């Protein structure tokens, strides 16, 4: 939703790396549906027309792209090399890395996990500032415990495994949460703004 709204309102281009969401055509269809407000696939609601689809593709062309790493689980450095190309070629203003656990986290033997995470997050911050782009890093919490009502709490960046740097390093932190018992809409909790 943020990618589509930033495209519509400000003309932002975004490069996306989302190894868990394959094939890419399905991911693109979801973005097109979010943009048009009409379903891409058949169902109870009339799907978008061919004309609407072609208009949306025209808007997305050169603005929404996918980072296609050569490795199945790429490093942050490799993805930033690919994003740098998109900054210069297409003028993107956003990068999505989704999710953290699908990236390569190989580290030198003497480096602790928290030190490695600090290093990687600092690299993302430097890139964002140098190239004036926003980076969305999606990181899932560790297994949360349900409360007495059987509900999961709103996760925080401290709930992400291996390091408090997930809270300390980012400029902004958003947590998405939904009351699964009541089936309520997803909530966005702003937990940090620098």
């Amino acid at each position: 939703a943020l990618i589509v709204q930033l495209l519509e309102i400000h003309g932002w281009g975004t490069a996306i790396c989302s190894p868990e969401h394959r094939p890419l055509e399905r991911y693109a269809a979801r973005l097109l549906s979010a943009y048009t407000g009409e379903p891409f696939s058949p169902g109870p609601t009339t799907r978008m027309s061919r004309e609407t689809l072609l208009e949306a593709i025209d808007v997305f062309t050169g603005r929404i792209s996918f980072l296609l790493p050569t490795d199945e689980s790429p490093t942050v450095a490799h993805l930033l090399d690919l994003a740098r190309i998109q900054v210069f070629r297409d003028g993107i203003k956003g990068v999505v890395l989704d999710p953290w656990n699908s990236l390569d986290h190989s580290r030198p033997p003497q480096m602790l996990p928290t030190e490695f995470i600090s290093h990687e997050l600092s690299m993302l911050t430097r890139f964002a500032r140098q190239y004036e782009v926003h980076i969305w890093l999606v990181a899932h919490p560790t297994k949360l415990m349900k409360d007495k009502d059987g509900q999961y709490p709103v996760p925080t960046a401290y709930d992400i495994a291996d390091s408090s740097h997930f809270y300390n390093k980012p400029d902004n932190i958003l947590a998405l949460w939904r009351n699964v018992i009541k089936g309520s809409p997803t909530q966005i909790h702003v937990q940090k703004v620098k």
Side-chain angles (χ1 to χ4, degrees):
L2 284 172
I3 293 167
V4 170
Q5 289 180 20
L6 287 167
L7 171 62
E8 286 182 296
I9 297 168
H10 301 291
W12 275 31
T14 302
I16 302 164
C17 177
S18 189
E20 287 186 351
H21 296 97
R22 302 286 175 132
L24 293 179
E25 292 82 3
R26 189 176 303 146
Y27 195 103
R30 288 177 43 213
L31 288 171
L32 291 166
S33 291
Y35 178 76
T36 64
E38 299 173 3
F40 183 83
S41 301
T45 306
T46 305
R47 66 187 282 190
M48 73 178 75
S49 67
R50 181 167 176 75
E51 181 179 293
T52 300
L53 172 63
L54 293 174
E55 288 173 10
I57 288 172
D58 188 51
V59 170
F60 277 37
T61 300
R63 292 196 177 129
I64 301 295
S65 58
F66 293 96
L67 300 176
L68 302 172
T70 54
D71 214 344
E72 196 57 36
S73 60
T75 64
V76 168
H78 179 60
L79 291 173
L80 292 180
D81 287 342
L82 296 175
R84 186 178 296 107
I85 294 167
Q86 297 294 323
V87 168
F88 290 118
R89 185 174 64 199
D90 296 326
I92 63 162
K93 299 301 284 176
V95 176
V96 176
L97 304 178
D98 175 22
W100 169 259
N101 65 340
S102 69
L103 305 180
D104 181 358
H105 301 301
S106 300
R107 56 186 167 79
Q110 71 280 8
M111 184 180 274
L112 296 172
T114 191
E115 293 171 326
F116 174 78
I117 289 167
S118 176
H119 175 268
E120 300 292 285
L121 295 175
S122 293
M123 188 180 348
L124 290 169
T125 300
R126 281 191 305 275
F127 183 92
R129 291 182 180 148
Q130 180 177 355
Y131 295 102
E132 298 180 351
V133 298
H134 186 89
I135 297 176
W136 288 274
L137 175 63
V138 178
H140 302 291
T142 57
K143 187 155 178 73
L144 298 171
M145 301 301 291
K146 292 181 182 180
D147 63 20
K148 61 180 172 50
D149 298 323
Q151 185 62 53
Y152 289 106
V154 176
T156 72
Y158 289 121
D159 294 316
I160 302 168
D162 295 328
S163 182
S164 62
H165 290 302
F166 283 112
Y167 183 86
N168 300 333
K169 295 272 183 166
D171 291 336
N172 303 293
I173 298 172
L174 303 175
L176 302 180
W177 180 86
R178 180 177 47 206
N179 184 332
V180 293
I181 295 172
K182 295 182 181 177
S184 62
T186 301
Q187 298 175 9
I188 299 174
H189 294 257
V190 179
Q191 297 180 342
K192 182 178 179 182
V193 176
K194 265 191 187 174

PDB file of all heavy atoms in Angstrom, residues 160-182:
ATOM      1  N   ILE A 160      12.614  -9.047  17.484  1.00  0.00           N
ATOM      2  CA  ILE A 160      13.313  -9.653  16.356  1.00  0.00           C
ATOM      3  C   ILE A 160      14.570 -10.323  16.906  1.00  0.00           C
ATOM      4  O   ILE A 160      15.296  -9.746  17.711  1.00  0.00           O
ATOM      5  CB  ILE A 160      13.662  -8.595  15.286  1.00  0.00           C
ATOM      6  CG1 ILE A 160      12.379  -7.907  14.819  1.00  0.00           C
ATOM      7  CG2 ILE A 160      14.390  -9.243  14.107  1.00  0.00           C
ATOM      8  CD1 ILE A 160      12.618  -6.657  13.999  1.00  0.00           C
ATOM      9  N   ALA A 161      14.830 -11.529  16.446  1.00  0.00           N
ATOM     10  CA  ALA A 161      15.905 -12.350  17.026  1.00  0.00           C
ATOM     11  C   ALA A 161      17.285 -11.737  16.861  1.00  0.00           C
ATOM     12  O   ALA A 161      17.567 -11.047  15.896  1.00  0.00           O
ATOM     13  CB  ALA A 161      15.894 -13.736  16.377  1.00  0.00           C
ATOM     14  N   ASP A 162      18.135 -11.986  17.827  1.00  0.00           N
ATOM     15  CA  ASP A 162      19.585 -11.800  17.791  1.00  0.00           C
ATOM     16  C   ASP A 162      20.127 -10.420  18.110  1.00  0.00           C
ATOM     17  O   ASP A 162      21.320 -10.284  18.303  1.00  0.00           O
ATOM     18  CB  ASP A 162      20.187 -12.256  16.454  1.00  0.00           C
ATOM     19  CG  ASP A 162      20.034 -13.744  16.213  1.00  0.00           C
ATOM     20  OD1 ASP A 162      20.058 -14.504  17.208  1.00  0.00           O
ATOM     21  OD2 ASP A 162      19.887 -14.141  15.059  1.00  0.00           O
ATOM     22  N   SER A 163      19.286  -9.375  18.152  1.00  0.00           N
ATOM     23  CA  SER A 163      19.911  -8.082  18.425  1.00  0.00           C
ATOM     24  C   SER A 163      18.906  -6.980  18.730  1.00  0.00           C
ATOM     25  O   SER A 163      17.880  -6.856  18.061  1.00  0.00           O
ATOM     26  CB  SER A 163      20.758  -7.649  17.227  1.00  0.00           C
ATOM     27  OG  SER A 163      21.396  -6.426  17.497  1.00  0.00           O
ATOM     28  N   SER A 164      19.266  -6.154  19.727  1.00  0.00           N
ATOM     29  CA  SER A 164      18.466  -4.952  20.000  1.00  0.00           C
ATOM     30  C   SER A 164      18.749  -3.866  18.972  1.00  0.00           C
ATOM     31  O   SER A 164      18.081  -2.841  18.947  1.00  0.00           O
ATOM     32  CB  SER A 164      18.762  -4.434  21.415  1.00  0.00           C
ATOM     33  OG  SER A 164      20.119  -4.056  21.521  1.00  0.00           O
ATOM     34  N   HIS A 165      19.732  -4.100  18.094  1.00  0.00           N
ATOM     35  CA  HIS A 165      20.035  -3.113  17.048  1.00  0.00           C
ATOM     36  C   HIS A 165      18.867  -2.932  16.083  1.00  0.00           C
ATOM     37  O   HIS A 165      18.768  -1.909  15.416  1.00  0.00           O
ATOM     38  CB  HIS A 165      21.296  -3.493  16.276  1.00  0.00           C
ATOM     39  CG  HIS A 165      22.544  -3.340  17.094  1.00  0.00           C
ATOM     40  ND1 HIS A 165      22.915  -2.147  17.674  1.00  0.00           N
ATOM     41  CD2 HIS A 165      23.490  -4.236  17.444  1.00  0.00           C
ATOM     42  CE1 HIS A 165      24.042  -2.301  18.342  1.00  0.00           C
ATOM     43  NE2 HIS A 165      24.411  -3.567  18.222  1.00  0.00           N
ATOM     44  N   PHE A 166      17.968  -3.919  16.003  1.00  0.00           N
ATOM     45  CA  PHE A 166      16.772  -3.740  15.169  1.00  0.00           C
ATOM     46  C   PHE A 166      15.920  -2.598  15.698  1.00  0.00           C
ATOM     47  O   PHE A 166      15.158  -1.998  14.956  1.00  0.00           O
ATOM     48  CB  PHE A 166      15.944  -5.029  15.099  1.00  0.00           C
ATOM     49  CG  PHE A 166      16.527  -6.058  14.179  1.00  0.00           C
ATOM     50  CD1 PHE A 166      17.046  -7.242  14.678  1.00  0.00           C
ATOM     51  CD2 PHE A 166      16.570  -5.848  12.802  1.00  0.00           C
ATOM     52  CE1 PHE A 166      17.585  -8.198  13.834  1.00  0.00           C
ATOM     53  CE2 PHE A 166      17.109  -6.800  11.963  1.00  0.00           C
ATOM     54  CZ  PHE A 166      17.620  -7.976  12.476  1.00  0.00           C
ATOM     55  N   TYR A 167      16.046  -2.299  16.992  1.00  0.00           N
ATOM     56  CA  TYR A 167      15.382  -1.117  17.530  1.00  0.00           C
ATOM     57  C   TYR A 167      16.307   0.099  17.501  1.00  0.00           C
ATOM     58  O   TYR A 167      15.899   1.195  17.152  1.00  0.00           O
ATOM     59  CB  TYR A 167      14.890  -1.332  18.969  1.00  0.00           C
ATOM     60  CG  TYR A 167      14.148  -0.116  19.463  1.00  0.00           C
ATOM     61  CD1 TYR A 167      12.796   0.037  19.203  1.00  0.00           C
ATOM     62  CD2 TYR A 167      14.814   0.909  20.129  1.00  0.00           C
ATOM     63  CE1 TYR A 167      12.124   1.180  19.607  1.00  0.00           C
ATOM     64  CE2 TYR A 167      14.148   2.049  20.534  1.00  0.00           C
ATOM     65  CZ  TYR A 167      12.797   2.184  20.264  1.00  0.00           C
ATOM     66  OH  TYR A 167      12.138   3.317  20.637  1.00  0.00           O
ATOM     67  N   ASN A 168      17.566  -0.091  17.850  1.00  0.00           N
ATOM     68  CA  ASN A 168      18.483   1.035  18.018  1.00  0.00           C
ATOM     69  C   ASN A 168      18.864   1.722  16.712  1.00  0.00           C
ATOM     70  O   ASN A 168      19.023   2.940  16.677  1.00  0.00           O
ATOM     71  CB  ASN A 168      19.766   0.571  18.718  1.00  0.00           C
ATOM     72  CG  ASN A 168      19.495  -0.019  20.082  1.00  0.00           C
ATOM     73  OD1 ASN A 168      18.519   0.326  20.740  1.00  0.00           O
ATOM     74  ND2 ASN A 168      20.344  -0.925  20.519  1.00  0.00           N
ATOM     75  N   LYS A 169      19.050   0.989  15.626  1.00  0.00           N
ATOM     76  CA  LYS A 169      19.628   1.537  14.405  1.00  0.00           C
ATOM     77  C   LYS A 169      18.650   2.245  13.460  1.00  0.00           C
ATOM     78  O   LYS A 169      18.996   3.263  12.877  1.00  0.00           O
ATOM     79  CB  LYS A 169      20.363   0.439  13.624  1.00  0.00           C
ATOM     80  CG  LYS A 169      21.575  -0.113  14.346  1.00  0.00           C
ATOM     81  CD  LYS A 169      22.785   0.682  14.025  1.00  0.00           C
ATOM     82  CE  LYS A 169      24.017   0.094  14.694  1.00  0.00           C
ATOM     83  NZ  LYS A 169      25.241   0.645  14.158  1.00  0.00           N
ATOM     84  N   PRO A 170      17.446   1.723  13.244  1.00  0.00           N
ATOM     85  CA  PRO A 170      16.568   2.347  12.242  1.00  0.00           C
ATOM     86  C   PRO A 170      16.098   3.742  12.640  1.00  0.00           C
ATOM     87  O   PRO A 170      16.009   4.084  13.826  1.00  0.00           O
ATOM     88  CB  PRO A 170      15.365   1.398  12.166  1.00  0.00           C
ATOM     89  CG  PRO A 170      15.820   0.132  12.761  1.00  0.00           C
ATOM     90  CD  PRO A 170      16.860   0.492  13.776  1.00  0.00           C
ATOM     91  N   ASP A 171      15.775   4.528  11.622  1.00  0.00           N
ATOM     92  CA  ASP A 171      15.207   5.852  11.857  1.00  0.00           C
ATOM     93  C   ASP A 171      13.721   5.755  12.183  1.00  0.00           C
ATOM     94  O   ASP A 171      13.184   6.563  12.931  1.00  0.00           O
ATOM     95  CB  ASP A 171      15.400   6.750  10.630  1.00  0.00           C
ATOM     96  CG  ASP A 171      16.859   7.116  10.419  1.00  0.00           C
ATOM     97  OD1 ASP A 171      17.639   7.090  11.384  1.00  0.00           O
ATOM     98  OD2 ASP A 171      17.226   7.436   9.267  1.00  0.00           O
ATOM     99  N   ASN A 172      13.053   4.787  11.578  1.00  0.00           N
ATOM    100  CA  ASN A 172      11.611   4.613  11.773  1.00  0.00           C
ATOM    101  C   ASN A 172      11.300   3.139  11.974  1.00  0.00           C
ATOM    102  O   ASN A 172      11.929   2.286  11.354  1.00  0.00           O
ATOM    103  CB  ASN A 172      10.829   5.105  10.545  1.00  0.00           C
ATOM    104  CG  ASN A 172      11.121   6.548  10.221  1.00  0.00           C
ATOM    105  OD1 ASN A 172      10.771   7.430  10.973  1.00  0.00           O
ATOM    106  ND2 ASN A 172      11.777   6.780   9.106  1.00  0.00           N
ATOM    107  N   ILE A 173      10.319   2.877  12.816  1.00  0.00           N
ATOM    108  CA  ILE A 173       9.879   1.493  13.028  1.00  0.00           C
ATOM    109  C   ILE A 173       8.354   1.475  13.005  1.00  0.00           C
ATOM    110  O   ILE A 173       7.699   2.225  13.735  1.00  0.00           O
ATOM    111  CB  ILE A 173      10.384   0.923  14.368  1.00  0.00           C
ATOM    112  CG1 ILE A 173      11.915   0.890  14.391  1.00  0.00           C
ATOM    113  CG2 ILE A 173       9.807  -0.470  14.604  1.00  0.00           C
ATOM    114  CD1 ILE A 173      12.501   0.524  15.732  1.00  0.00           C
ATOM    115  N   LEU A 174       7.827   0.615  12.155  1.00  0.00           N
ATOM    116  CA  LEU A 174       6.389   0.374  12.091  1.00  0.00           C
ATOM    117  C   LEU A 174       6.154  -1.095  12.416  1.00  0.00           C
ATOM    118  O   LEU A 174       6.907  -1.959  11.976  1.00  0.00           O
ATOM    119  CB  LEU A 174       5.838   0.652  10.692  1.00  0.00           C
ATOM    120  CG  LEU A 174       6.052   2.034  10.104  1.00  0.00           C
ATOM    121  CD1 LEU A 174       5.538   2.081   8.674  1.00  0.00           C
ATOM    122  CD2 LEU A 174       5.364   3.089  10.947  1.00  0.00           C
ATOM    123  N   ALA A 175       5.117  -1.369  13.168  1.00  0.00           N
ATOM    124  CA  ALA A 175       4.728  -2.754  13.437  1.00  0.00           C
ATOM    125  C   ALA A 175       3.318  -2.957  12.909  1.00  0.00           C
ATOM    126  O   ALA A 175       2.430  -2.129  13.151  1.00  0.00           O
ATOM    127  CB  ALA A 175       4.777  -3.050  14.927  1.00  0.00           C
ATOM    128  N   LEU A 176       3.127  -4.039  12.175  1.00  0.00           N
ATOM    129  CA  LEU A 176       1.805  -4.386  11.686  1.00  0.00           C
ATOM    130  C   LEU A 176       1.234  -5.436  12.624  1.00  0.00           C
ATOM    131  O   LEU A 176       1.915  -6.387  12.996  1.00  0.00           O
ATOM    132  CB  LEU A 176       1.883  -4.943  10.269  1.00  0.00           C
ATOM    133  CG  LEU A 176       2.515  -4.017   9.238  1.00  0.00           C
ATOM    134  CD1 LEU A 176       2.523  -4.681   7.864  1.00  0.00           C
ATOM    135  CD2 LEU A 176       1.795  -2.691   9.166  1.00  0.00           C
ATOM    136  N   TRP A 177      -0.044  -5.270  12.977  1.00  0.00           N
ATOM    137  CA  TRP A 177      -0.669  -6.181  13.928  1.00  0.00           C
ATOM    138  C   TRP A 177      -2.152  -6.302  13.606  1.00  0.00           C
ATOM    139  O   TRP A 177      -2.787  -5.335  13.166  1.00  0.00           O
ATOM    140  CB  TRP A 177      -0.482  -5.650  15.344  1.00  0.00           C
ATOM    141  CG  TRP A 177      -1.087  -6.509  16.414  1.00  0.00           C
ATOM    142  CD1 TRP A 177      -0.504  -7.576  17.020  1.00  0.00           C
ATOM    143  CD2 TRP A 177      -2.377  -6.366  17.012  1.00  0.00           C
ATOM    144  NE1 TRP A 177      -1.352  -8.108  17.964  1.00  0.00           N
ATOM    145  CE2 TRP A 177      -2.514  -7.383  17.976  1.00  0.00           C
ATOM    146  CE3 TRP A 177      -3.427  -5.475  16.822  1.00  0.00           C
ATOM    147  CZ2 TRP A 177      -3.651  -7.541  18.754  1.00  0.00           C
ATOM    148  CZ3 TRP A 177      -4.573  -5.632  17.580  1.00  0.00           C
ATOM    149  CH2 TRP A 177      -4.673  -6.647  18.545  1.00  0.00           C
ATOM    150  N   ARG A 178      -2.674  -7.497  13.828  1.00  0.00           N
ATOM    151  CA  ARG A 178      -4.108  -7.717  13.631  1.00  0.00           C
ATOM    152  C   ARG A 178      -4.630  -8.631  14.725  1.00  0.00           C
ATOM    153  O   ARG A 178      -3.977  -9.601  15.097  1.00  0.00           O
ATOM    154  CB  ARG A 178      -4.356  -8.337  12.258  1.00  0.00           C
ATOM    155  CG  ARG A 178      -5.816  -8.585  11.983  1.00  0.00           C
ATOM    156  CD  ARG A 178      -6.073  -9.122  10.606  1.00  0.00           C
ATOM    157  NE  ARG A 178      -5.149 -10.201  10.338  1.00  0.00           N
ATOM    158  CZ  ARG A 178      -4.751 -10.566   9.135  1.00  0.00           C
ATOM    159  NH1 ARG A 178      -5.186  -9.945   8.086  1.00  0.00           N
ATOM    160  NH2 ARG A 178      -3.911 -11.560   8.980  1.00  0.00           N
ATOM    161  N   ASN A 179      -5.807  -8.317  15.235  1.00  0.00           N
ATOM    162  CA  ASN A 179      -6.471  -9.157  16.211  1.00  0.00           C
ATOM    163  C   ASN A 179      -7.054 -10.349  15.451  1.00  0.00           C
ATOM    164  O   ASN A 179      -8.114 -10.251  14.844  1.00  0.00           O
ATOM    165  CB  ASN A 179      -7.573  -8.371  16.929  1.00  0.00           C
ATOM    166  CG  ASN A 179      -8.240  -9.168  18.021  1.00  0.00           C
ATOM    167  OD1 ASN A 179      -8.304 -10.396  17.961  1.00  0.00           O
ATOM    168  ND2 ASN A 179      -8.750  -8.479  19.019  1.00  0.00           N
ATOM    169  N   VAL A 180      -6.334 -11.459  15.467  1.00  0.00           N
ATOM    170  CA  VAL A 180      -6.745 -12.616  14.677  1.00  0.00           C
ATOM    171  C   VAL A 180      -8.011 -13.267  15.218  1.00  0.00           C
ATOM    172  O   VAL A 180      -8.738 -13.925  14.473  1.00  0.00           O
ATOM    173  CB  VAL A 180      -5.613 -13.667  14.566  1.00  0.00           C
ATOM    174  CG1 VAL A 180      -4.472 -13.124  13.759  1.00  0.00           C
ATOM    175  CG2 VAL A 180      -5.144 -14.109  15.935  1.00  0.00           C
ATOM    176  N   ILE A 181      -8.298 -13.073  16.488  1.00  0.00           N
ATOM    177  CA  ILE A 181      -9.496 -13.669  17.070  1.00  0.00           C
ATOM    178  C   ILE A 181     -10.747 -12.987  16.514  1.00  0.00           C
ATOM    179  O   ILE A 181     -11.702 -13.628  16.114  1.00  0.00           O
ATOM    180  CB  ILE A 181      -9.464 -13.592  18.611  1.00  0.00           C
ATOM    181  CG1 ILE A 181      -8.305 -14.439  19.140  1.00  0.00           C
ATOM    182  CG2 ILE A 181     -10.789 -14.042  19.210  1.00  0.00           C
ATOM    183  CD1 ILE A 181      -8.049 -14.285  20.617  1.00  0.00           C
ATOM    184  N   LYS A 182     -10.734 -11.681  16.471  1.00  0.00           N
ATOM    185  CA  LYS A 182     -11.900 -10.935  15.991  1.00  0.00           C
ATOM    186  C   LYS A 182     -11.863 -10.695  14.489  1.00  0.00           C
ATOM    187  O   LYS A 182     -12.818 -10.198  13.919  1.00  0.00           O
ATOM    188  CB  LYS A 182     -11.997  -9.593  16.721  1.00  0.00           C
ATOM    189  CG  LYS A 182     -12.257  -9.739  18.212  1.00  0.00           C
ATOM    190  CD  LYS A 182     -12.381  -8.390  18.861  1.00  0.00           C
ATOM    191  CE  LYS A 182     -12.629  -8.544  20.355  1.00  0.00           C
ATOM    192  NZ  LYS A 182     -12.695  -7.259  21.031  1.00  0.00           N
TER     193      LYS A 182
END
